[in-house]
Amino acid sequence: SFSAWFENETMYNKFVANTATSLELEMVDTLGNKYIVLLPRVQFTQVSLDRPDGAVTQNFTFKALKDSVTGTTIQITRDPV
């Protein structure tokens, strides 16, 4: 699961429509190496919205599904300095 701030409700609407989507997370370690975690196909199982002061904070629970193109549920790429 994750929580994030969004400018609109596009991701929430994917949950309502039961539409699969992808998620990508980029991290950089203290040496500057980059790691990209890709979940090429996920389905949201629960979503809640919080709208303090007009911002849209969304809390997602999801499950990873096998992607027919990559044949995986997760892909991790290391991009060294």
Side-chain angles (χ1 to χ4, degrees):
S1 68
F2 70 95
S3 298
W5 178 86
F6 292 91
E7 293 181 355
N8 56 48
E9 295 179 7
T10 300
M11 296 297 271
Y12 176 77
N13 291 335
K14 288 184 180 196
F15 166 72
V16 171
N18 202 30
T19 302
T21 191
S22 62
L23 295 176
E24 186 173 289
L25 173 66
E26 185 176 303
M27 300 173 283
V28 179
D29 67 18
T30 56
L31 300 174
N33 298 300
K34 188 186 308 182
Y35 300 86
I36 301 167
V37 179
L38 172 65
L39 302 169
R41 187 167 174 245
V42 299
Q43 190 97 43
F44 297 124
T45 55
Q46 289 182 313
V47 177
S48 63
L49 299 177
D50 187 20
R51 294 183 177 97
D53 303 321
V56 180
T57 302
Q58 300 174 30
N59 303 298
F60 295 91
T61 301
F62 62 91
K63 62 181 177 180
L65 305 171
K66 186 174 182 180
D67 181 56
S68 62
V69 176
T70 63
T72 65
T73 57
I74 187 170
Q75 179 180 338
I76 301 172
T77 304
R78 181 175 182 262
D79 185 10
V81 178

XYZ file of all heavy atoms in Angstrom:
642
model
N 0.842 -1.185 0.000
C 0.000 0.000 0.000
C 0.884 1.244 0.000
O 2.068 1.176 0.318
C -0.936 -0.006 1.196
O -0.223 0.147 2.388
N 0.292 2.359 -0.386
C 1.006 3.628 -0.367
C 0.017 4.779 -0.271
O -1.158 4.627 -0.561
C 1.892 3.796 -1.610
C 1.140 3.997 -2.901
C 0.900 5.267 -3.397
C 0.682 2.908 -3.640
C 0.215 5.451 -4.590
C 0.007 3.077 -4.828
C -0.230 4.355 -5.306
N 0.514 5.917 0.167
C -0.255 7.161 0.208
C 0.484 8.187 -0.616
O 1.711 8.238 -0.591
C -0.401 7.686 1.639
O -1.102 6.778 2.434
N -0.267 8.991 -1.340
C 0.371 10.005 -2.182
C -0.567 11.179 -2.378
O -1.784 11.052 -2.260
C 0.740 9.405 -3.531
N 0.030 12.318 -2.688
C -0.736 13.519 -3.009
C -0.823 13.621 -4.521
O 0.168 13.453 -5.219
C -0.048 14.763 -2.447
C -0.778 16.007 -2.794
C -1.811 16.556 -2.110
C -0.552 16.864 -3.926
N -2.254 17.701 -2.742
C -1.491 17.904 -3.863
C 0.329 16.836 -4.986
C -1.554 18.907 -4.809
C 0.255 17.839 -5.930
C -0.667 18.865 -5.831
N -2.021 13.874 -5.019
C -2.247 14.017 -6.449
C -2.978 15.315 -6.721
O -3.739 15.804 -5.889
C -3.097 12.851 -6.986
C -2.397 11.531 -6.947
C -2.514 10.699 -5.852
C -1.604 11.119 -8.005
C -1.867 9.477 -5.814
C -0.947 9.901 -7.973
C -1.085 9.085 -6.876
N -2.765 15.856 -7.917
C -3.460 17.084 -8.311
C -4.914 16.823 -8.672
O -5.715 17.743 -8.675
C -2.752 17.722 -9.505
C -1.367 18.236 -9.179
C -0.694 18.875 -10.365
O -1.257 18.848 -11.480
O 0.408 19.409 -10.181
N -5.244 15.569 -8.997
C -6.618 15.254 -9.388
C -6.948 13.822 -8.959
O -6.160 13.182 -8.285
C -6.803 15.440 -10.900
C -5.822 14.614 -11.700
O -5.641 13.429 -11.450
N -5.160 15.243 -12.656
N -8.082 13.326 -9.383
C -8.551 12.008 -8.954
C -8.384 10.935 -10.032
O -9.092 9.932 -10.036
C -10.003 12.118 -8.514
C -10.176 12.997 -7.293
C -11.621 13.138 -6.850
O -12.504 12.453 -7.395
O -11.859 13.940 -5.936
N -7.442 11.101 -10.941
C -7.238 10.142 -12.027
C -6.987 8.730 -11.502
O -7.594 7.764 -11.986
C -6.064 10.581 -12.929
O -6.374 11.855 -13.481
C -5.820 9.587 -14.038
N -6.105 8.583 -10.530
C -5.806 7.255 -9.987
C -7.024 6.674 -9.276
O -7.313 5.488 -9.390
C -4.608 7.307 -9.042
C -3.321 7.708 -9.734
S -2.782 6.554 -10.992
C -1.814 5.460 -10.011
N -7.755 7.514 -8.553
C -8.982 7.056 -7.894
C -9.986 6.554 -8.934
O -10.623 5.521 -8.743
C -9.595 8.180 -7.056
C -10.904 7.795 -6.432
C -10.938 6.981 -5.302
C -12.108 8.227 -6.967
C -12.132 6.610 -4.720
C -13.317 7.857 -6.397
C -13.317 7.045 -5.277
O -14.515 6.679 -4.709
N -10.098 7.263 -10.038
C -11.034 6.862 -11.090
C -10.641 5.522 -11.707
O -11.507 4.757 -12.138
C -11.139 7.945 -12.158
C -11.826 9.191 -11.634
O -12.603 9.130 -10.687
N -11.520 10.329 -12.215
N -9.343 5.207 -11.740
C -8.909 3.889 -12.219
C -9.406 2.799 -11.274
O -9.781 1.709 -11.704
C -7.392 3.828 -12.372
C -6.905 4.640 -13.552
C -5.419 4.497 -13.748
C -5.013 5.332 -14.954
N -3.691 4.979 -15.442
N -9.406 3.089 -9.975
C -9.942 2.141 -9.005
C -11.439 1.928 -9.242
O -11.904 0.787 -9.313
C -9.697 2.646 -7.584
C -10.481 1.920 -6.527
C -10.153 0.623 -6.184
C -11.532 2.535 -5.889
C -10.879 -0.059 -5.204
C -12.255 1.872 -4.915
C -11.930 0.576 -4.577
N -12.189 3.004 -9.375
C -13.640 2.924 -9.585
C -13.961 2.139 -10.853
O -14.875 1.310 -10.877
C -14.268 4.333 -9.630
C -15.718 4.277 -10.058
C -14.124 5.019 -8.274
N -13.195 2.356 -11.925
C -13.430 1.684 -13.208
C -12.808 0.288 -13.258
O -12.936 -0.401 -14.269
C -12.882 2.542 -14.343
N -12.113 -0.112 -12.173
C -11.449 -1.415 -12.124
C -10.419 -1.561 -13.254
O -10.285 -2.611 -13.865
C -12.471 -2.553 -12.157
C -11.915 -3.829 -11.595
O -11.062 -3.823 -10.725
N -12.390 -4.943 -12.105
N -9.704 -0.481 -13.527
C -8.717 -0.435 -14.600
C -7.319 -0.704 -14.038
O -6.887 -0.041 -13.102
C -8.731 0.960 -15.268
O -10.031 1.221 -15.756
C -7.729 1.041 -16.396
N -6.618 -1.665 -14.629
C -5.236 -1.929 -14.213
C -4.344 -0.785 -14.674
O -4.611 -0.128 -15.681
C -4.750 -3.250 -14.805
N -3.283 -0.533 -13.925
C -2.342 0.526 -14.260
C -0.951 0.075 -13.837
O -0.784 -1.025 -13.331
C -2.740 1.851 -13.572
O -1.959 2.915 -14.109
C -2.576 1.793 -12.071
N 0.045 0.891 -14.056
C 1.409 0.562 -13.630
C 1.839 1.533 -12.538
O 1.314 2.640 -12.437
C 2.374 0.639 -14.813
O 2.417 1.949 -15.319
N 2.804 1.107 -11.737
C 3.401 1.958 -10.713
C 4.908 1.888 -10.860
O 5.466 0.825 -11.120
C 3.025 1.484 -9.312
C 1.562 1.561 -8.912
C 1.373 0.947 -7.528
C 1.083 2.998 -8.923
N 5.557 3.042 -10.695
C 7.016 3.091 -10.787
C 7.547 3.943 -9.655
O 7.033 5.024 -9.384
C 7.433 3.672 -12.138
C 8.930 3.633 -12.367
C 9.299 4.054 -13.774
O 9.031 3.282 -14.704
O 9.835 5.166 -13.926
N 8.575 3.441 -8.987
C 9.202 4.129 -7.873
C 10.690 4.252 -8.166
O 11.343 3.264 -8.512
C 8.990 3.332 -6.576
C 9.722 3.805 -5.339
C 9.204 5.173 -4.907
C 9.575 2.793 -4.222
N 11.212 5.453 -8.054
C 12.634 5.688 -8.294
C 13.290 6.078 -6.981
O 12.806 6.962 -6.277
C 12.809 6.801 -9.326
C 14.229 7.034 -9.719
C 14.350 8.088 -10.811
O 13.737 7.915 -11.874
O 15.069 9.083 -10.579
N 14.398 5.398 -6.665
C 15.138 5.677 -5.432
C 16.599 5.901 -5.781
O 17.104 5.321 -6.742
C 15.023 4.494 -4.472
C 13.598 4.180 -4.066
S 13.462 2.659 -3.109
C 13.608 1.426 -4.399
N 17.277 6.732 -4.992
C 18.702 6.996 -5.184
C 19.398 6.749 -3.850
O 18.969 7.268 -2.817
C 18.943 8.450 -5.658
C 20.419 8.716 -5.831
C 18.182 8.732 -6.941
N 20.480 5.947 -3.887
C 21.205 5.689 -2.642
C 22.199 6.819 -2.371
O 22.329 7.765 -3.158
C 21.858 4.300 -2.651
C 22.989 4.147 -3.660
O 23.527 5.159 -4.144
O 23.345 2.993 -3.967
N 22.907 6.710 -1.263
C 23.814 7.783 -0.845
C 24.996 7.978 -1.789
O 25.627 9.027 -1.786
C 24.353 7.521 0.573
O 24.982 6.238 0.611
C 23.233 7.571 1.594
N 25.297 6.970 -2.615
C 26.384 7.083 -3.588
C 25.901 7.640 -4.930
O 26.709 7.910 -5.808
C 27.043 5.723 -3.805
C 27.663 5.083 -2.558
C 28.153 3.678 -2.868
C 28.778 5.960 -2.010
N 24.603 7.782 -5.080
C 24.052 8.295 -6.329
C 23.549 7.232 -7.292
O 23.095 7.547 -8.391
N 23.648 5.953 -6.899
C 23.094 4.890 -7.738
C 21.574 4.990 -7.732
O 20.969 5.224 -6.685
C 23.518 3.511 -7.214
C 25.009 3.337 -7.248
O 25.633 3.416 -8.292
N 25.605 3.116 -6.080
N 20.992 4.792 -8.879
C 19.542 4.892 -9.004
C 18.944 3.493 -9.119
O 19.480 2.623 -9.807
C 19.182 5.701 -10.247
C 17.716 6.022 -10.359
C 17.352 6.704 -11.674
C 18.205 7.903 -11.977
N 17.814 8.566 -13.229
N 17.832 3.285 -8.441
C 17.082 2.028 -8.509
C 15.656 2.363 -8.921
O 15.016 3.237 -8.319
C 17.079 1.309 -7.160
C 18.466 0.974 -6.678
C 19.217 1.894 -5.960
C 19.033 -0.254 -6.980
C 20.502 1.601 -5.533
C 20.324 -0.560 -6.558
C 21.049 0.374 -5.830
O 22.319 0.084 -5.417
N 15.176 1.685 -9.943
C 13.816 1.912 -10.423
C 13.041 0.620 -10.224
O 13.421 -0.434 -10.738
C 13.802 2.327 -11.900
C 14.617 3.606 -12.076
C 12.370 2.507 -12.399
C 14.936 3.947 -13.510
N 11.972 0.703 -9.445
C 11.102 -0.442 -9.190
C 9.832 -0.222 -10.007
O 9.126 0.764 -9.814
C 10.766 -0.575 -7.694
C 9.835 -1.747 -7.451
C 12.038 -0.698 -6.864
N 9.579 -1.134 -10.923
C 8.413 -1.047 -11.798
C 7.472 -2.202 -11.521
O 7.887 -3.361 -11.530
C 8.840 -1.080 -13.272
C 7.711 -1.182 -14.295
C 6.833 0.066 -14.263
C 8.264 -1.417 -15.681
N 6.234 -1.873 -11.239
C 5.157 -2.851 -11.182
C 4.334 -2.583 -12.436
O 3.560 -1.623 -12.485
C 4.320 -2.667 -9.918
C 5.097 -2.777 -8.602
C 4.256 -2.311 -7.433
C 5.564 -4.187 -8.381
N 4.545 -3.368 -13.497
C 3.959 -3.033 -14.790
C 2.439 -3.152 -14.857
O 1.807 -2.546 -15.718
C 4.624 -4.005 -15.764
C 5.083 -5.141 -14.933
C 5.357 -4.570 -13.568
N 1.860 -3.912 -13.932
C 0.401 -4.065 -13.962
C -0.099 -4.289 -12.539
O 0.205 -5.309 -11.918
C 0.024 -5.246 -14.846
C -1.448 -5.384 -15.081
C -1.726 -6.374 -16.216
N -3.150 -6.595 -16.314
C -3.748 -7.761 -16.065
N -3.021 -8.825 -15.748
N -5.048 -7.875 -16.148
N -0.824 -3.331 -12.011
C -1.400 -3.451 -10.673
C -2.896 -3.166 -10.732
O -3.383 -2.460 -11.627
C -0.740 -2.502 -9.644
C 0.733 -2.800 -9.489
C -0.964 -1.050 -9.999
N -3.587 -3.720 -9.765
C -5.027 -3.484 -9.610
C -5.221 -2.936 -8.208
O -4.747 -3.526 -7.233
C -5.776 -4.811 -9.753
C -7.263 -4.661 -9.854
C -7.686 -4.678 -11.298
O -7.204 -5.465 -12.065
N -8.576 -3.788 -11.659
N -5.881 -1.794 -8.097
C -6.162 -1.231 -6.783
C -7.289 -2.024 -6.131
O -8.299 -2.315 -6.752
C -6.545 0.241 -6.887
C -5.445 1.107 -7.426
C -5.633 1.896 -8.540
C -4.202 1.115 -6.825
C -4.618 2.677 -9.043
C -3.171 1.897 -7.326
C -3.388 2.685 -8.434
N -7.087 -2.400 -4.860
C -8.098 -3.170 -4.140
C -8.856 -2.313 -3.136
O -10.000 -2.618 -2.811
C -7.454 -4.366 -3.420
O -6.405 -3.895 -2.567
C -6.876 -5.357 -4.434
N -8.230 -1.255 -2.648
C -8.889 -0.299 -1.749
C -8.290 1.076 -1.978
O -7.081 1.201 -2.181
C -8.679 -0.659 -0.281
C -9.413 -1.876 0.187
C -9.173 -2.098 1.673
O -8.031 -2.038 2.134
N -10.232 -2.342 2.409
N -9.140 2.074 -1.930
C -8.679 3.456 -2.061
C -9.506 4.324 -1.125
O -10.713 4.161 -1.019
C -8.841 3.987 -3.508
C -8.431 5.448 -3.593
C -8.040 3.160 -4.482
N -8.834 5.236 -0.437
C -9.545 6.233 0.358
C -8.991 7.602 -0.001
O -7.831 7.748 -0.349
C -9.405 5.956 1.852
O -8.054 6.060 2.242
N -9.876 8.592 0.052
C -9.504 9.962 -0.301
C -9.547 10.849 0.924
O -10.414 10.711 1.779
C -10.468 10.535 -1.337
C -10.566 9.838 -2.682
C -11.627 10.518 -3.535
C -9.243 9.861 -3.389
N -8.632 11.791 0.987
C -8.610 12.816 2.013
C -8.394 14.136 1.280
O -7.477 14.230 0.457
C -7.488 12.545 3.010
C -7.520 13.494 4.188
O -8.580 14.094 4.441
O -6.478 13.630 4.849
N -9.222 15.123 1.534
C -9.131 16.388 0.795
C -8.915 17.592 1.727
O -9.725 18.494 1.760
C -10.405 16.602 -0.014
C -10.610 15.606 -1.108
C -11.878 15.974 -1.890
N -12.080 15.081 -2.991
C -12.873 14.025 -2.960
N -13.529 13.736 -1.873
N -13.015 13.270 -4.017
N -7.794 17.642 2.439
C -7.558 18.817 3.278
C -7.180 20.021 2.429
O -6.308 19.942 1.576
C -6.394 18.380 4.172
C -5.661 17.379 3.344
C -6.723 16.684 2.508
N -7.865 21.110 2.622
C -7.546 22.364 1.927
C -7.489 22.221 0.414
O -6.662 22.850 -0.257
C -6.220 22.948 2.434
C -6.237 23.184 3.937
O -7.296 23.618 4.443
O -5.226 22.918 4.583
N -8.319 21.368 -0.173
C -8.383 21.241 -1.624
C -7.395 20.266 -2.231
O -7.537 19.866 -3.372
N -6.361 19.860 -1.496
C -5.422 18.860 -2.001
C -6.100 17.498 -1.962
O -7.023 17.275 -1.193
C -4.161 18.836 -1.147
N -5.641 16.592 -2.797
C -6.218 15.248 -2.827
C -5.142 14.258 -2.390
O -4.211 13.974 -3.132
C -6.736 14.885 -4.242
C -7.336 13.490 -4.234
C -7.760 15.905 -4.721
N -5.249 13.767 -1.160
C -4.367 12.723 -0.678
C -5.113 11.414 -0.840
O -6.244 11.282 -0.387
C -3.982 12.943 0.793
O -3.368 14.216 0.917
C -3.026 11.866 1.274
N -4.485 10.451 -1.492
C -5.133 9.178 -1.749
C -4.310 8.062 -1.130
O -3.090 8.042 -1.253
C -5.290 8.959 -3.257
C -6.133 10.049 -3.904
C -6.188 9.945 -5.414
O -6.113 8.884 -5.979
N -6.328 11.081 -6.071
N -4.985 7.152 -0.453
C -4.358 5.997 0.174
C -4.773 4.760 -0.619
O -5.966 4.492 -0.758
C -4.805 5.870 1.628
C -4.506 7.132 2.407
O -3.362 7.507 2.552
N -5.533 7.806 2.879
N -3.810 4.033 -1.148
C -4.075 2.904 -2.036
C -3.577 1.591 -1.439
O -2.485 1.529 -0.898
C -3.339 3.075 -3.374
C -3.795 4.230 -4.185
C -3.194 5.464 -4.053
C -4.817 4.085 -5.101
C -3.602 6.543 -4.829
C -5.234 5.148 -5.880
C -4.623 6.378 -5.737
N -4.364 0.559 -1.608
C -3.931 -0.818 -1.403
C -4.070 -1.476 -2.765
O -5.052 -1.239 -3.475
C -4.809 -1.525 -0.353
O -4.733 -0.800 0.869
C -4.349 -2.947 -0.115
N -3.079 -2.281 -3.146
C -3.113 -2.842 -4.496
C -2.525 -4.242 -4.508
O -1.879 -4.669 -3.549
C -2.326 -1.952 -5.465
C -0.869 -1.829 -5.137
C 0.053 -2.705 -5.675
C -0.420 -0.844 -4.272
C 1.400 -2.605 -5.356
C 0.926 -0.730 -3.950
C 1.835 -1.616 -4.502
N -2.751 -4.938 -5.606
C -2.094 -6.222 -5.830
C -1.427 -6.166 -7.191
O -1.941 -5.565 -8.139
C -3.077 -7.388 -5.748
C -4.167 -7.363 -6.785
C -5.099 -8.543 -6.619
C -6.246 -8.457 -7.634
N -7.167 -9.578 -7.495
N -0.240 -6.759 -7.274
C 0.487 -6.815 -8.541
C -0.031 -7.994 -9.351
O -0.282 -9.072 -8.814
C 1.979 -6.971 -8.279
N -0.210 -7.773 -10.643
C -0.679 -8.805 -11.567
C 0.423 -9.094 -12.577
O 1.240 -8.224 -12.895
C -1.933 -8.319 -12.309
C -3.095 -7.849 -11.443
C -4.162 -7.195 -12.304
C -3.664 -8.998 -10.645
N 0.451 -10.297 -13.100
C 1.454 -10.647 -14.107
C 1.168 -9.870 -15.389
O 0.057 -9.872 -15.908
C 1.443 -12.146 -14.390
C 2.559 -12.587 -15.304
C 2.585 -14.098 -15.441
C 3.730 -14.530 -16.323
N 3.751 -15.996 -16.450
N 2.191 -9.185 -15.860
C 2.083 -8.402 -17.088
C 2.333 -9.303 -18.292
O 3.325 -10.037 -18.322
C 3.103 -7.259 -17.047
C 3.051 -6.386 -18.265
O 1.976 -5.851 -18.564
O 4.096 -6.247 -18.932
N 1.456 -9.257 -19.275
C 1.587 -10.139 -20.439
C 2.767 -9.761 -21.336
O 3.307 -10.600 -22.052
C 0.294 -10.139 -21.257
O 0.021 -8.840 -21.746
N 3.211 -8.510 -21.291
C 4.334 -8.069 -22.133
C 5.675 -8.478 -21.520
O 6.522 -9.063 -22.182
C 4.284 -6.542 -22.362
C 5.504 -6.072 -23.143
C 2.997 -6.148 -23.079
N 5.870 -8.180 -20.229
C 7.143 -8.476 -19.571
C 7.174 -9.872 -18.961
O 8.245 -10.399 -18.678
C 7.434 -7.459 -18.457
O 6.406 -7.578 -17.447
C 7.479 -6.044 -18.982
N 6.005 -10.459 -18.717
C 5.928 -11.775 -18.089
C 6.256 -11.752 -16.608
O 6.535 -12.788 -16.017
N 6.248 -10.566 -15.995
C 6.610 -10.427 -14.585
C 5.564 -9.616 -13.830
O 4.696 -8.973 -14.416
C 7.957 -9.701 -14.432
O 7.815 -8.355 -14.917
C 9.068 -10.383 -15.191
N 5.698 -9.611 -12.506
C 4.873 -8.739 -11.669
C 5.679 -7.555 -11.154
O 5.112 -6.552 -10.741
C 4.297 -9.505 -10.458
O 5.369 -10.071 -9.713
C 3.335 -10.587 -10.902
N 7.024 -7.700 -11.192
C 7.892 -6.617 -10.728
C 9.200 -6.639 -11.514
O 9.690 -7.703 -11.895
C 8.179 -6.727 -9.206
C 8.949 -5.503 -8.695
C 8.898 -8.019 -8.889
C 9.041 -5.444 -7.178
N 9.724 -5.450 -11.755
C 11.007 -5.325 -12.448
C 11.843 -4.294 -11.700
O 11.365 -3.189 -11.435
C 10.763 -4.870 -13.875
C 12.010 -4.684 -14.699
C 11.684 -4.233 -16.127
O 10.592 -4.432 -16.610
N 12.643 -3.604 -16.753
N 13.067 -4.654 -11.347
C 13.960 -3.735 -10.642
C 15.175 -3.471 -11.511
O 15.848 -4.400 -11.953
C 14.399 -4.306 -9.275
C 13.168 -4.576 -8.411
C 15.360 -3.336 -8.577
C 13.456 -5.307 -7.129
N 15.413 -2.194 -11.779
C 16.535 -1.789 -12.623
C 17.498 -0.963 -11.783
O 17.083 -0.041 -11.081
C 16.036 -0.943 -13.824
O 15.052 -1.692 -14.537
C 17.186 -0.583 -14.739
N 18.768 -1.311 -11.861
C 19.817 -0.535 -11.165
C 20.568 0.272 -12.217
O 21.048 -0.260 -13.185
C 20.784 -1.463 -10.435
C 21.859 -0.711 -9.679
C 22.731 -1.681 -8.877
N 23.731 -0.967 -8.122
C 25.003 -0.810 -8.518
N 25.423 -1.322 -9.659
N 25.849 -0.146 -7.767
N 20.663 1.557 -11.962
C 21.385 2.461 -12.848
C 22.564 3.022 -12.043
O 22.427 4.002 -11.320
C 20.452 3.578 -13.315
C 21.095 4.490 -14.338
O 22.185 4.175 -14.836
O 20.483 5.538 -14.643
N 23.753 2.394 -12.165
C 24.892 2.821 -11.352
C 25.428 4.188 -11.797
O 25.240 4.606 -12.930
C 25.929 1.730 -11.577
C 25.564 1.105 -12.874
C 24.078 1.291 -13.042
N 26.105 4.827 -10.867
C 26.719 6.127 -11.130
C 27.766 5.992 -12.205
O 28.509 5.089 -12.300
C 27.344 6.726 -9.853
C 28.021 8.040 -10.131
C 26.312 6.866 -8.774
